[in-house]
Structures are given as C-alpha cells and as structure tokens.
C-alpha cells in the first residue's frame, strides 16, 4: 500500500558523527529511508542507538555530518512549521501556562490567516484532545511528567503539521492514558493524513500504529537493520488485533530482531 504513495521524506546516505571531548563518536552511518506521504513509521531500537539523533535530523534541529535529508522536494536545512516535534523530554516553556505553551505554536502557524478567537478555539480543542482542559492555566512546574508530555503532544497536534515527529511521546504515561492517546493519534492521523515518524520502545505500540517499523542496530555507528511492513487493515482495533495472527507475527518479528539479533549490549561511553 505505502509503496504506491509518492515519496515525501527522503533520507539519503546520512551519517552523524559527534565531536566529544574524547574524540569523535560515530552515532549513525549509512541511513537510507524513504517515507511516503501519509505513512506512519515507527523507529525502534535499543537505548542509545541513535533514534533521537535521527529524529532531530528530520526535524532540522541538527545537520548531518554527511548525506542529505529531503522533505516535500526541499532539502531540510532547519526546523519548519510543517514538521512538528514532540520531544522525548517535554520541552515546554516553564514561565508559560499549558494554554500559553500550546497557543504559542498555534499563533506561529495560523495567526496570519485566522482570528484570535479561532486561535484560542484551536488551542482549547488541542488541550481537550489530551484531557488537559482543567490544567490549562497551570505552569509546567505545577503538573506531572505525563501531563507535561500531553501538553507537548497537544502543541504538536495543534499545528496540524504535514509531518509529525514524535520521540517516545507516550513513554511517561500510565497504560490507560497511553492506550487512549494511541487511539486518538490513530484517529487524528487518519483524518489529517499527516506523515508520522515516531520513536518508541514499545513493540505493541509500534505494530498497532505503524505502516512500517524501522528497526535500528545497536550503536556506535548504528544503522537501519531491517524494515518490517505492517500489513494490517485500518482502522485498527486493539482488542480485535490482540488475537490476529498477522499482528502476532509482526510482533514476533520485532521482538526477534531486538532481543535475538540485536541483543542489548551495554553502551560504551561516548
Ligand atoms: N550531542 C551529542 N554529542 C555527543 N554524543 C551524542 C550527542 N547526542 C547523542 N550522542 C550519542 O549518540 C548516541 C545516540 O544517542 P540518541 O540520543 O540518539 O539515542 P536514542 O536511541 O534516542 O536513545 P534512547 O532510547 O535512550 O533515547 C548515544 O551513544 C549518545 O551518547
Ligand atoms: Mg532518544
């Protein structure tokens, strides 16, 4: 299905080497990946393999040591409003309320074309989506880690981005909230047709949400080890899927990759 769609994000021979006080550290090598418009990609791999590094490159927050990244036929040279990011460590502005943190993003994208009332309505709708209406006037220091993460998700979704880049967005959430937000995300993405690249540690989450699961080898010099297409029809229902042999097979393939072929080795200091 996904292969018939036009290319949207292209990652061509990308390499990322960091300079550290102890010398250079090759984090990523030879990353080649094409993502179609509207595709949902899960990025999975052990801690420290370079998932956030790759996501930051697509976000345009860093530039690669070698290779090229392209989005919508243009080279990625910096961040842009068409690529919204949900960070692994919810990066909210601590002096602004939850409402203001989301409003800032909405304003940046829509203020040229929409009224203030509409911008407020968008912000309220995004907060409602993640169940944070009651906390709208609180500051990040006054809410839990999971709530902060939900503000970050609301902020990204409120921008209606063409590309949603999410770094373990549900990692800090309890299982029930996590399941609810996964379902919400599926519904939103089906509606907006956003292209999504989402980092996760959770095998079930990867299979439930994605069209393809990109599995990374361990670092240093990590690369894409294998790509698994998840050919499960949409809309997907988590209860029905739990017994679907195709679901179980995909799950097994990812677990096999992670725990047999890329059994976790203690990370050597960078
Ligand atoms: N700015 C940096 N300078 C030096 N080394 C870095 C830098 N950023 C990341 N690294 C190293 O690159 C490797 C990949 O880091 P990255 O944060 O991308 O991993 P990750 O897969 O996101 O891990 P996790 O699952 O724990 O979030 C690690 O060994 C890390 O120490
Ligand atoms: Mg990370």
């Amino acid at each position: 299905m996904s292969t018939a769609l036009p290319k949207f994000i292209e990652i061509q021979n990308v390499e990322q080497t960091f300079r550290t006080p102890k010398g250079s550290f090759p984090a990523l090598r030879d990353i080649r990946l094409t993502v179609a418009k509207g595709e949902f990609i899960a990025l999975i791999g052990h801690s420290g393999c370079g998932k956030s590094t790759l996501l930051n490159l697509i976000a345009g927050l860093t530039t690669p040591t070698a290779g090229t990244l392209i989005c919508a036929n243009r080279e990625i040279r910096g961040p842009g409003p068409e690529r919204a990011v949900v960070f692994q460590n919810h990066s909210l502005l601590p002096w602004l309320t939850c409402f203001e943190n989301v409003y800032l993003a909405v304003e940046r994208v829509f203020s040229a074309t929409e009224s203030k009332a509409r911008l407020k309505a968008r912000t309220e709708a995004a907060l409602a989506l993640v169940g944070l209406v009651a906390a709208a006037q609180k500051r990040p220091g006054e809410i839990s880690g999971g709530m902060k993460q939900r503000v970050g998700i609301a902020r990204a979704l409120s921008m209606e981005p063409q590309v949603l880049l999410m770094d373990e967005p549900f990692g800090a959430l309890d299982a029930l909230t996590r399941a609810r937000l996964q379902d919400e995300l599926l519904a939103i993405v089906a509606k907006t047709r956003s292209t999504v690249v989402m980092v996760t540690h959770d095998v079930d989450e990867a299979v439930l949400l994605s069209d393809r699961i990109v599995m990374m080898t361990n670092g240093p010099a990590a690369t894409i080890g294998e790509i698994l297409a998840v050919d499960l029809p949409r809309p997907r229902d988590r209860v029905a899927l739990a017994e679907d042999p195709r679901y179980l097979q995909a799950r097994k393939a990812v677990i096999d990759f992670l725990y047999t072929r890329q059994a976790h080795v203690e990370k050597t200091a960078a």
Side-chain angles (χ1 to χ4, degrees):
M1 179 191 87
S2 51
T3 45
L5 299 168
K7 288 178 190 175
F8 192 57
I9 300 171
E10 287 174 73
I11 305 172
Q12 301 167 339
N13 306 316
V14 160
E15 178 190 302
Q16 185 70 302
T17 297
F18 292 111
R19 276 171 209 265
T20 75
K22 291 184 195 161
S24 68
F25 177 79
L28 297 175
R29 69 169 168 89
D30 201 22
I31 302 283
R32 276 172 283 175
L33 180 68
T34 300
V35 181
K37 194 158 174 54
E39 204 178 6
F40 197 123
I41 298 284
L43 210 54
I44 204 164
H46 289 291
S47 182
C49 73
K51 303 179 295 295
S52 296
T53 302
L54 182 55
L55 207 73
N56 286 341
L57 285 165
I58 305 171
L61 297 166
T62 46
T63 45
T65 319
T68 312
L69 292 105
I70 293 168
C71 180
N73 296 316
R74 272 190 307 202
E75 189 173 344
I76 296 172
R77 291 180 184 278
E82 80 286 2
R83 280 169 284 127
V85 190
V86 178
F87 293 98
Q88 189 168 5
N89 52 355
H90 40 75
S91 60
L92 304 177
L93 298 173
W95 60 88
L96 297 182
T97 63
C98 297
F99 182 92
E100 289 163 340
N101 264 287
V102 177
Y103 188 85
L104 204 65
V106 171
E107 197 176 33
R108 189 155 71 96
V109 181
F110 300 106
S111 65
T113 50
E114 295 185 1
S115 69
K116 278 221 165 68
R118 181 77 189 109
L119 302 184
K120 274 188 72 176
R122 279 185 182 276
T123 306
E124 277 155 11
L127 286 168
L129 202 59
V130 297
L132 279 184
V133 173
Q137 296 312 321
K138 293 191 172 170
R139 291 193 164 71
E142 301 167 325
I143 59 175
S144 71
M147 289 164 87
K148 279 186 257 201
Q149 197 60 6
R150 282 188 275 156
V151 179
I153 294 165
R155 181 175 57 185
L157 292 175
S158 72
M159 297 164 71
E160 293 188 355
Q162 290 189 58
V163 184
L164 198 50
L165 302 170
M166 311 179 97
D167 199 345
E168 298 193 37
F170 308 137
L173 304 177
D174 65 275
L176 288 179
T177 310
R178 188 182 183 117
R180 194 171 62 75
L181 285 178
Q182 286 169 345
D183 291 342
E184 289 289 0
L185 180 66
L186 280 178
I188 290 163
V189 166
K191 203 168 74 185
T192 59
R193 299 183 180 277
S194 294
T195 306
V196 184
V197 181
M198 172 173 168
V199 173
T200 179
H201 272 118
D202 183 329
V203 176
D204 285 297
E205 179 169 277
V207 179
L208 175 71
L209 299 180
S210 48
D211 295 309
R212 284 190 299 159
I213 303 176
V214 172
M215 296 178 260
M216 294 181 64
T217 63
N218 291 331
T223 192
I224 295 172
E226 206 172 296
I227 299 181
L228 178 78
V230 183
D231 288 323
L232 291 165
R234 294 181 189 271
R236 294 179 184 169
D237 175 81
R238 71 175 63 243
V239 179
L241 279 183
E243 291 177 357
D244 189 316
R246 291 168 299 180
Y247 178 86
L248 297 172
Q249 200 176 12
R251 198 176 178 279
K252 185 174 182 312
V254 180
I255 289 174
D256 183 42
F257 177 88
L258 288 176
Y259 301 106
T260 309
R261 274 170 289 157
Q262 292 294 321
H264 188 49
V265 285
E266 267 311 300
K267 190 170 69 168
T268 48

